[in-house]
């Protein structure tokens, strides 16, 4: 490596210039955030932002490598606490100060990119200067399974925890510092104590579980397997799951302390913890094996000792047993109930996933264009309505209308009387078929007696009947209608809304007129 | 895929892993079954083959396995693919153009270069910054060629709609109302949060979001396009000059 000063100052200064320059550069982001804080309304006189920056690194380093690392919220909360002690008069501003510091260390002003500085490598005298870029992070965000966590870079750890005169790029060294710091913080002791405590809990749980299972084998009713035992099993399972995960993480972390170059003290403690965790782990695994088989023991015992009863799904009163109670629940509980209910009631729902390009294509799909400019129009041949075989000829309709017009006087007229008037009305024109007129009058009266409301609403009614029957209504008469081809009681026809001459007896013959 | 037949326990475990990956709330916490299966996926080649094959059969593709869990992407038209009907149903054509533009804008803003896709650091983004970035890039989009109906033309149309919208309209209660671009960006972030592609970072102030590994992988999987490329160019220049 060419000396930074090209040997012009002193060989000693030259040799370490680059490293010392880097150490210097590493502190610059802190200075910068202090300068910029004024823009955010944070007064340097009120808060020691440098100390807050140091504290941020300390908080982060304290938990790095453990099962639960510091989340962004943890760090901001911690700094907010410190900041509010610095300026008790402005509790509202403490959080802003904490955010400013964390944002500064994340280089938020430049979208959390690396801090970048240029080092002038002077080289030998006479050579042109070579500019070297040096970029680094102090804090950065990673996504962990429980949310975004903050991690400190090796440079941040080395510089902020152990002063300036060190090799900043040595990751092993950084790890050693982290372990040393955690040892000093007595975090190892705490972790060892927790592990030992967890081991004792597991031993206790194992013993109770063994007893419980023996009792169940003898008598399935000896313990409450509906509520109490499952709860206990869940508790034990959670304990084991948590411990095994935690211990693995700690073991890995501490093991790396044995592998890296660390102080004898760290190595000794690490060794002790590795032994302790190994033993605790066996206990946890043993408990786990018992837990896995526990339910089976109960089921076997139950089948052997009792007849399995079929459980029937109860009928629910949706309003009183589901909706009303759910409305009274707090939101999180209500969501759980509603989700469970909806899942059962609505069946499987498929989670929708996205693919970036497909999503954009879908959103930006061009509006659908018509394939051909002029759609083919289907040509319907003209229909001569006058010769529609389904319709009654106009003179017939006219004659029927005349017959029915007898009701316009307001009186009720018997259908038989109307039918009697048909021959007269039909006689005015030789073309009129008397039978057709009679049929039309009869059908109109029947329609007036029992209109097909649905067909009427859908417009599915033969025009003539609608027209003729539209204004009249009919009710049953107690006499019988005696006509060829027509049977049943006679009808009393009147103008719709007209006067009722005699009260109908509801107990009358129920039979309807039949055509 | 290996030609060795998978045994049934392996198939069961693979299905379980895909089940976890599909359940948006599942998190591979230390000691959990999800975590164990993820580790197995990362370390055991045979198991990985089984999972990948099973995913393929279901119309899915494994995009990656970051620490926060397995990220899956659907085959278009498959059972798991998002359809327009899954978005806000009252969106009209302009809303959809803007939604797509903001989505691309966020991607370009957070990941201007390919190297950014390899950076596991989660990005913090703010609604106002994204809006400003998109507004500043509209000229670049307006310069794209392309015939009627082409993606470039759609990008131009989207840029036009975006430019015509006001930046902010407020409701009577002082919140952002529909019909302004800040609200449009807010809605996209809301959707990204729903998708697990972003999280709110309330501790760092309002309107701040983390983009998760899922979003990074989704964008990295994209083949790009004229609009995304144009916006990434603008953003790269912006980053380089800052």
């Amino acid at each position: 490596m060419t000396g930074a000063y090209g040997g012009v100052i002193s060989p000693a200064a030259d040799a370490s210039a680059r490293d010392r320059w880097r150490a210097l550069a590493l502190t610059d982001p802190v200075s910068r955030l202090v300068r910029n804080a004024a823009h955010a309304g944070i007064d340097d006189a009120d808060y020691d932002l440098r100390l807050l920056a140091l504290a941020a690194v300390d908080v982060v380093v304290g938990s790095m490598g453990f099962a639960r690392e510091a989340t962004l919220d943890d760090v901001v909360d911690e700094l907010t606490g410190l900041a509010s002690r610095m300026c008790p008069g402005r509790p509202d501003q403490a959080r802003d100060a904490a955010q400013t510091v964390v944002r500064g260390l994340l280089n938020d002003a430049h979208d959390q990119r690396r801090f970048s500085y240029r080092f002038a490598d002077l080289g030998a005298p006479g050579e042109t200067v070579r500019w070297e870029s040096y970029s680094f992070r102090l804090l950065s965000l990673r996504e962990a399974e429980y949310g975004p966590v903050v991690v400190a870079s090796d440079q941040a750890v080395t510089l902020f925890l152990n002063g300036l005169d060190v090799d900043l790029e040595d990751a092993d060294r950084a790890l050693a510092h982290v372990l040393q710091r955690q040892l000093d913080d007595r975090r190892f002791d705490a972790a060892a104590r927790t592990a030992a405590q967890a081991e004792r809990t597991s031993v206790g749980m194992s013993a109770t579980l063994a007893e419980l299972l023996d009792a169940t084998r003898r008598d399935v009713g000896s313990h409450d397997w509906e509520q109490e035992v499952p709860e206990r099993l869940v508790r034990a399972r959670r304990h084991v799951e948590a411990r095994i995960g935690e211990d693995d993480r700690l073991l890995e972390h501490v093991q790396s302390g044995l592998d890296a170059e660390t102080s004898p003290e760290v190595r000794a403690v690490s060794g002790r913890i590795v032994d302790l965790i190994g033993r605790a782990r066996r206990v946890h695994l043993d408990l786990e094996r018992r837990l896995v088989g526990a339910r089976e023991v109960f089921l076997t015992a139950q089948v052997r000792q009792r007849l399995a009863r079929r459980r029937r799904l109860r009928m629910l009163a949706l309003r009183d047993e589901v909706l009303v109670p759910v409305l009274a629940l707090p939101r999180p509980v209500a969501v759980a109930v509603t989700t469970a209910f909806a899942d059962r009631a609505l069946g499987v729902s498929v989670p929708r996933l996205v693919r970036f390009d497909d999503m954009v294509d879908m959103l930006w799909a061009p509006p659908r264009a018509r394939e051909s400019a002029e759609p083919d129009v289907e040509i319907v041949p003209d229909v001569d309505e006058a010769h529609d075989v389904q319709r009654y000829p106009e003179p017939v309709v006219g004659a029927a209308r005349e017959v029915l017009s007898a009701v316009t006087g307001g009186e009720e007229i018997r259908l038989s009387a109307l039918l009697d008037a048909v021959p007269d009305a039909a006689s005015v024109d030789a073309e009129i078929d008397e039978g057709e007129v009679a049929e039309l009058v009869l059908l109109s009266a029947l329609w007036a007696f029992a209109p097909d409301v649905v067909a009427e609403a859908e417009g599915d009614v033969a025009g003539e009947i609608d027209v003729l029957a539209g204004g009249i209504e009919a009710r049953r008469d107690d006499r019988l209608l005696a006509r060829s081809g027509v049977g049943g009681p006679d009808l009393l026809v009147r103008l719709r809304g007209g006067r009722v001459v005699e009260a109908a007896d509801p107990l009358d013959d129920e039979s309807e007129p039949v055509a | 895929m290996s030609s060795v037949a998978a045994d049934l326990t392996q198939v069961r475990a693979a299905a379980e892993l895909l089940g976890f990956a599909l359940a948006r709330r599942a998190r591979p916490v230390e000691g959990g079954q999800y975590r164990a299966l993820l580790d197995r996926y990362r370390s055991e080649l045979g198991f990985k083959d089984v999972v990948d094959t099973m995913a393929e059969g279901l119309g899915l593709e494994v995009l990656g396995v970051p620490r926060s869990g397995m990220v899956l992407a659907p085959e278009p038209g498959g059972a798991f693919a998002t359809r327009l009907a899954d978005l806000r149903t009252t969106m009209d054509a302009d809303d959809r153009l803007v939604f797509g533009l903001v989505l691309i804008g966020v991607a370009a803003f957070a990941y201007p270069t390919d190297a950014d896709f390899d950076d596991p650091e989660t990005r913090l983004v703010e609604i106002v910054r994204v809006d400003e970035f998109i507004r500043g890039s509209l000229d670049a989009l307006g310069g794209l060629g392309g015939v009627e109906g082409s993606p470039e033309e759609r990008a131009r149309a989207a840029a036009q709609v975006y430019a015509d919208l006001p930046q902010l309209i407020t409701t009577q209660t002082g919140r952002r109302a529909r019909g302004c671009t800040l609200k449009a960006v807010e809605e996209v972030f809301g959707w990204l949060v729903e998708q697990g592609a972003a999280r709110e970072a309330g501790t760092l102030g309002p309107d701040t979001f983390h983009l998760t590994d899922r979003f990074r992988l989704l964008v990295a999987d994209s083949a790009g396009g004229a609009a995304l490329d144009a916006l990434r160019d603008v953003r790269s220049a912006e980053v380089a000059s800052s």
Side-chain angles (χ1 to χ4, degrees):
Chain A
M1 178 181 98
T2 321
Y5 303 144
V8 292
I9 296 173
S10 84
D14 202 30
S16 64
R18 190 187 304 257
D19 285 345
R20 286 184 294 131
W21 178 89
R22 289 185 171 185
L24 196 59
L26 277 166
T27 61
D28 187 63
V30 178
S31 315
R32 205 191 308 180
L33 83 86
V34 173
R35 278 199 305 279
N36 291 343
H39 301 305
I42 309 294
D43 193 345
D44 194 23
D46 289 342
Y47 297 98
D48 183 347
L49 297 171
R50 293 174 186 83
L51 184 62
L52 288 179
L54 272 182
V57 178
D58 286 342
V59 171
V60 170
V61 167
S63 65
M64 266 168 70
F66 281 95
R68 197 175 187 290
E69 296 175 324
T71 63
L72 190 60
D73 295 4
D74 295 341
V75 178
V76 174
D77 288 348
E78 186 76 32
L79 295 194
T80 305
L82 296 176
S84 55
R85 281 172 56 198
M86 289 175 187
C87 185
R90 294 288 308 272
D92 54 314
Q93 213 183 27
R95 195 159 197 88
D96 291 346
Q99 285 176 359
T100 305
V101 170
V102 175
R103 278 178 184 272
L105 294 175
L106 288 169
N107 199 13
D108 193 50
H110 295 95
D111 306 309
Q112 308 117 55
R113 288 172 191 282
R114 290 162 173 275
F115 295 99
S116 196
Y117 294 87
R118 292 209 307 157
F119 174 72
D121 188 354
L122 295 174
E127 275 181 25
T128 46
V129 177
R130 217 158 47 83
W131 288 96
E132 229 176 62
S133 149
Y134 178 59
S135 47
F136 58 89
R137 290 187 206 285
L138 292 179
L139 297 186
S140 56
L141 288 171
R142 293 283 154 80
E143 212 195 345
E145 54 278 14
Y146 43 83
V149 297
V150 189
V151 290
S153 65
D154 291 343
Q155 292 93 330
V157 169
T158 319
L159 180 75
F160 288 94
L161 292 195
N162 212 44
L164 301 167
D165 185 17
V166 282
D167 178 3
L168 296 173
E169 310 301 334
D170 186 347
D172 267 2
R173 186 89 168 252
L175 175 67
H177 288 313
V178 170
L179 290 169
Q180 184 68 48
R181 167 58 73 92
Q182 286 165 352
L183 182 68
D184 295 346
D185 282 350
R186 314 199 71 77
R187 287 205 60 143
F188 275 11
D189 289 11
R193 262 203 308 282
T194 319
Q197 179 70 41
E199 185 194 356
R200 278 196 294 278
T201 312
S202 280
V203 171
M205 282 178 166
S206 273
T208 348
L209 187 62
E211 237 168 67
L212 192 151
L213 291 181
D214 280 343
T216 303
R217 278 193 202 96
R218 282 193 302 274
D219 176 12
V220 75
S222 62
H223 284 87
D224 173 18
W225 274 86
E226 192 157 11
Q227 189 106 42
E228 192 209 323
V229 180
E231 274 173 14
R232 239 200 245 188
L233 293 182
V234 167
R235 262 203 311 278
R237 199 171 298 129
R238 272 207 210 110
H239 166 78
V240 171
E241 275 171 13
R243 280 324 304 175
I244 288 182
E246 189 95 5
D247 289 355
D248 273 356
R249 193 72 179 252
L250 184 62
L251 196 61
E252 199 178 309
H253 185 49
V254 172
Q255 193 86 48
S256 57
L258 288 176
D259 299 338
E261 264 187 48
T262 45
S263 70
E265 200 186 354
V266 169
R267 296 168 76 75
V269 176
S270 300
R272 249 194 354 260
I273 291 182
V274 169
D275 287 347
L276 170 68
I277 293 174
R279 204 176 61 231
R281 209 182 140 78
R282 281 193 295 280
V283 176
H284 296 321
L285 287 176
D286 180 60
L287 174 57
E288 191 191 38
R289 268 194 299 280
R290 282 167 199 264
L291 282 169
V292 168
R295 184 114 198 119
E296 199 56 49
V297 169
F298 163 66
L299 290 176
T300 320
Q302 194 190 35
V303 168
R304 209 185 58 228
Q305 295 174 23
R306 312 256 159 111
L307 280 176
R309 283 190 210 146
R310 282 187 63 187
R311 295 180 63 187
R312 209 156 54 89
L313 188 68
R314 216 157 58 85
M315 296 292 281
L316 288 169
L318 281 181
R319 186 176 168 279
D320 294 337
E321 292 182 81
V322 182
L323 181 64
V324 175
V326 163
L327 288 177
L329 289 174
R331 193 184 151 91
V333 189
V335 166
V337 176
T338 316
T339 310
F341 178 78
D343 283 353
R344 301 290 185 288
L346 304 176
V348 181
S349 69
V350 177
R352 300 285 193 208
L353 305 174
V354 281
R355 193 179 270 269
F356 193 82
D357 288 352
D358 296 338
M359 187 70 196
V360 174
D361 285 351
M362 191 167 70
L363 287 164
W364 281 8
R368 277 186 203 137
R370 202 186 271 172
E371 300 262 313
S372 60
E374 278 297 312
D376 293 335
V377 179
E378 190 184 354
I379 296 162
V380 182
D382 285 343
V383 180
D384 183 1
E385 292 202 358
H387 288 94
D388 183 359
V389 287
Q390 295 295 325
R391 296 174 73 99
Y392 291 98
E394 200 49 46
V396 172
V397 176
R401 183 173 289 128
E402 197 188 319
V403 172
L404 287 170
S405 67
V407 300
T408 49
E411 301 296 322
E412 278 191 314
I413 299 180
R414 286 213 160 72
L415 175 57
S416 48
L418 291 175
L419 291 174
D420 289 341
V422 166
D424 276 354
S427 65
V428 294
D429 192 336
E431 279 184 27
I432 297 177
D433 181 346
E434 196 185 304
E436 283 192 334
V437 179
E439 186 184 79
L440 194 47
V441 170
L442 183 68
L443 285 176
S444 300
L446 271 174
W447 179 266
F449 176 75
D452 185 347
V453 185
V454 176
E456 200 167 29
E458 291 172 357
D460 190 17
V461 177
E464 301 80 0
I465 295 175
D466 193 24
V467 169
L468 294 174
I472 56 174
E473 55 189 5
R475 65 189 178 96
R476 187 185 300 137
D477 189 19
D478 44 7
R479 291 195 207 166
L480 283 178
L481 183 64
R483 280 285 185 286
S484 61
V486 184
D490 203 349
L491 292 176
L492 285 167
V493 182
R494 66 171 190 272
L495 209 59
R496 194 171 278 186
R499 194 156 56 88
V500 179
V501 177
E502 47 189 303
D505 186 353
L507 295 175
D508 251 3
D509 179 15
E510 286 294 307
S511 66
E512 292 184 6
V514 180
Chain B
M1 199 196 106
S2 65
S3 56
V4 185
D7 73 73
L8 287 177
T9 53
Q10 230 178 7
V11 172
R12 191 193 176 287
E16 206 176 346
L17 177 56
L18 288 173
F20 279 124
L22 284 170
R24 225 162 261 152
R25 290 203 188 86
R27 305 234 146 242
V29 285
E30 191 77 46
Q33 174 74 353
Y34 188 7
R35 176 65 159 267
L37 290 168
L38 263 191
D39 288 344
R40 194 169 163 200
Y41 181 88
R42 291 191 188 106
S43 57
E44 209 179 295
L45 212 58
F47 183 62
K48 179 176 182 298
D49 278 346
V50 175
V51 175
D52 288 348
T53 310
M54 187 179 276
E56 198 186 316
L58 287 166
L60 292 166
E61 188 193 337
V62 180
L63 290 188
V65 278
R67 197 172 150 189
S68 50
M70 177 175 271
V71 178
L72 297 171
E75 294 301 326
F80 297 98
T82 296
R83 289 158 177 73
L84 265 187
D86 298 323
L87 300 173
R88 178 160 67 81
T89 46
T90 53
M91 273 205 206
D92 62 16
D94 283 357
D95 290 341
R96 287 200 294 273
L97 282 174
V98 169
F99 198 101
L101 177 58
V102 174
L103 203 56
I104 290 179
V106 176
F109 183 81
Y111 310 108
T113 63
D114 285 348
D116 292 304
F117 294 137
D118 301 324
D119 186 353
E121 191 177 340
T122 56
R123 299 294 154 99
L124 284 173
V125 279
E126 284 169 46
I127 289 180
V128 178
R129 281 289 291 118
V130 169
D131 177 62
E132 281 168 359
F133 166 66
I134 296 176
R135 280 196 180 276
S137 318
L138 293 178
D139 286 347
L141 294 175
L144 293 174
V147 293
E148 181 81 20
S150 66
E152 290 82 0
E153 185 270 334
R154 304 308 294 162
R156 281 205 313 272
Q160 189 59 51
V161 176
Y162 201 95
D164 289 345
L165 287 175
Q167 189 179 34
L168 178 66
I169 312 176
T170 51
T171 62
Q172 285 180 339
T173 52
R175 296 199 305 199
R176 298 182 186 119
R178 290 236 166 92
C180 66
T181 53
L182 284 175
K183 179 70 179 177
V185 178
E186 185 186 312
E187 285 193 335
V188 170
F189 274 113
W191 180 78
L192 287 174
V193 169
E194 246 172 60
Q195 291 295 320
R199 289 163 192 252
E200 284 181 61
T203 33
L204 285 184
D207 290 347
T208 309
F209 293 85
H210 297 282
L211 295 174
T212 62
D213 289 331
R214 176 182 294 270
F215 187 71
R216 181 167 56 84
L217 289 169
L218 283 176
V219 180
D221 168 62
S222 159
L228 184 58
D229 292 347
L231 290 185
R232 287 177 80 188
D233 287 347
V234 173
R235 178 67 179 148
S236 304
E238 203 178 286
V239 169
S241 68
S242 68

